[in-house]
Amino acid sequence: MSSLNSTLPQNVSFVRPQFFYINGFSNIPYVKYYYIFLCIVLTVTILGNSFIMFIIYIEQSLHTPKYVVVFHLAVVDMCGSTALIPKMIETFLFDSQLISYEGCLANMFFVHSFTFMQSLTLLALAYDRFVAICFPLKYHIIITTAGMGKILAGIWILASGVVIAAVGFTTRLSFCKSIVINSYFCDHGPIYRMSCNDNFPNYVIAQIGITILLAAPLTLILSTYVCIILALLKIASEEERIKAMKTCTSHLILVAMFYLPISAIYIAANITSIDPNTRIISTSLSSTISPMMNPIIYTMKTEEVMKAVRKLCKRNKIIKPRRNQ
């Protein structure tokens, strides 16, 4: 790594390197098995999310605003995983840790954009559950397919806009000391911190991104569930309470899987110093396992999806004997 850093020109006011070196894990034995595991994760993620998208597409009963958002979550999960995992496998499993400057900026944009979109999509699902339980009589007036389409369009604009700003500010940074990124992808934080010139705009946009696209959605999601719990307490029948809460189970699991690891790492990093390997494995797992598990949870834990799956299985059983005849 020191030899890589020594290739940087000295006594130059502004340096834009031709490439970066993604450091990844250091001194971990058998680490290549982890990347083989990620190959399996990517395969399951693509198959699972494709399946949930297929079910929603062919089943008319799932053509509702809620499942428009679930479909969108599956798209975001699949895009996010394909933006991150194949590049990780190429980088570390095949020892290709050098990445061009332009390729690094593209990697930064796609990975961060889809992570933020996942966060905002979970907020959109929380909004749907909030209206469904707190304002059931007005649900079909407030929650419409067109309205959800506008919310999802806003998610793309907001997430992409913030990350484009982060990438734009990164292009004005000079790297005269190091080109070694202590992360598993072209992570904005480690990159702007190793610059030689003023990186305060990058710090500001990073804090804006964390606040608006991660912390604020989590706070709003928790607030909606406080309102949901208060609304459920007003329902006299315990059976109705349980039935209403079951409609939130899948979403609550997804929220916990996505936000808990990110929150834990962020809080720990601000309290004490974290070993780089611990940070990398925690953040990489939270970025890859959640997209893999989302379609499985929605299939297993959501009654409407299970009904659609059973209907599809019955339809296939009927069609097969007819073909044999």
Side-chain angles (χ1 to χ4, degrees):
M1 286 187 287
S2 58
S3 62
L4 283 169
N5 293 334
S6 65
T7 61
L8 291 168
Q10 303 298 314
N11 302 318
V12 180
S13 59
F14 185 87
V15 179
R16 177 175 289 178
Q18 290 184 336
F19 56 82
F20 287 104
Y21 181 89
I22 302 176
N23 195 29
F25 295 105
S26 57
N27 301 320
I28 295 183
Y30 310 112
V31 72
K32 289 195 174 183
Y33 290 110
Y34 179 66
Y35 303 115
I36 294 169
F37 165 72
L38 289 182
C39 291
I40 299 168
V41 169
L42 179 62
T43 304
V44 176
T45 300
I46 292 171
L47 292 174
N49 284 288
S50 299
F51 176 74
I52 200 82
M53 289 161 63
F54 173 72
I55 289 293
I56 293 170
Y57 178 76
I58 65 164
E59 182 54 50
Q60 286 293 325
S61 64
L62 299 180
H63 291 184
T64 62
K66 175 186 173 181
Y67 285 100
V68 167
V69 185
V70 174
F71 188 94
H72 178 264
L73 181 63
V75 172
V76 168
D77 284 343
M78 199 155 61
C79 291
S81 292
T82 51
L84 178 63
I85 298 176
K87 187 60 187 173
M88 283 182 69
I89 292 166
E90 179 195 352
T91 301
F92 302 113
L93 195 58
F94 298 103
D95 296 322
S96 178
Q97 289 171 261
L98 290 179
I99 183 170
S100 69
Y101 180 84
E102 293 78 12
C104 189
L105 294 182
N107 182 247
M108 181 193 298
F109 171 77
F110 287 112
V111 173
H112 283 307
S113 292
F114 288 118
T115 300
F116 289 146
M117 284 181 203
Q118 188 176 357
S119 173
L120 293 171
T121 306
L122 291 173
L123 176 58
L125 284 168
Y127 173 61
D128 174 86
R129 292 299 83 208
F130 167 71
V131 176
I133 293 172
C134 297
F135 304 99
L137 298 178
K138 294 182 179 180
Y139 177 79
H140 294 291
I141 299 170
I142 299 171
I143 305 293
T144 62
T145 302
M148 275 300 183
K150 290 175 184 176
I151 289 171
L152 297 179
I155 286 171
W156 279 77
I157 293 166
L158 180 59
S160 300
V162 171
V163 180
I164 285 170
V167 172
F169 283 123
T170 302
T171 60
R172 54 170 290 284
L173 296 179
S174 177
F175 300 92
C176 57
K177 296 177 183 176
S178 176
I179 57 169
V180 178
I181 303 169
N182 290 316
S183 188
Y184 57 98
F185 73 104
C186 287
D187 197 347
H188 177 250
I191 288 175
Y192 85 74
R193 290 190 192 97
M194 67 188 190
S195 63
C196 301
N197 57 343
D198 179 27
N199 60 22
F200 184 70
N202 292 81
Y203 169 79
V204 171
I205 199 67
Q207 295 306 309
I208 289 171
I210 290 167
T211 303
I212 295 178
L213 303 175
L214 289 175
L218 177 58
T219 304
L220 289 170
I221 289 168
L222 294 176
S223 300
T224 61
Y225 275 102
V226 169
C227 296
I228 286 170
I229 290 167
L230 293 174
L232 290 176
L233 291 174
K234 294 177 183 177
I235 298 174
S237 169
E238 188 178 343
E239 189 180 337
E240 287 181 9
R241 259 187 243 158
I242 294 169
K243 188 178 178 182
M245 202 61 205
K246 275 185 178 178
T247 65
C248 304
T249 305
S250 300
H251 181 253
L252 279 169
I253 295 171
L254 302 189
V255 168
M257 286 180 57
F258 179 78
Y259 286 107
L260 281 179
I262 294 173
S263 301
I265 289 295
Y266 186 76
I267 293 166
N270 283 278
I271 295 172
T272 183
S273 60
I274 302 176
D275 179 71
N277 288 337
T278 303
R279 180 180 61 81
I280 289 170
I281 198 162
S282 298
T283 51
S284 63
L285 281 174
S286 67
S287 300
T288 54
I289 298 299
S290 182
M292 179 185 74
M293 293 303 296
N294 287 354
I296 297 170
I297 291 165
Y298 256 103
T299 303
M300 300 300 292
K301 289 282 184 182
T302 310
E303 193 177 336
E304 298 102 311
V305 176
M306 286 303 294
K307 281 182 181 177
V309 171
R310 285 193 288 267
K311 192 186 290 186
L312 180 66
C313 291
K314 285 179 183 176
R315 197 182 300 163
N316 288 338
K317 284 179 183 178
I318 293 168
I319 291 170
K320 281 180 182 178
R322 285 180 180 174
R323 284 178 179 172
N324 293 334
Q325 288 173 6

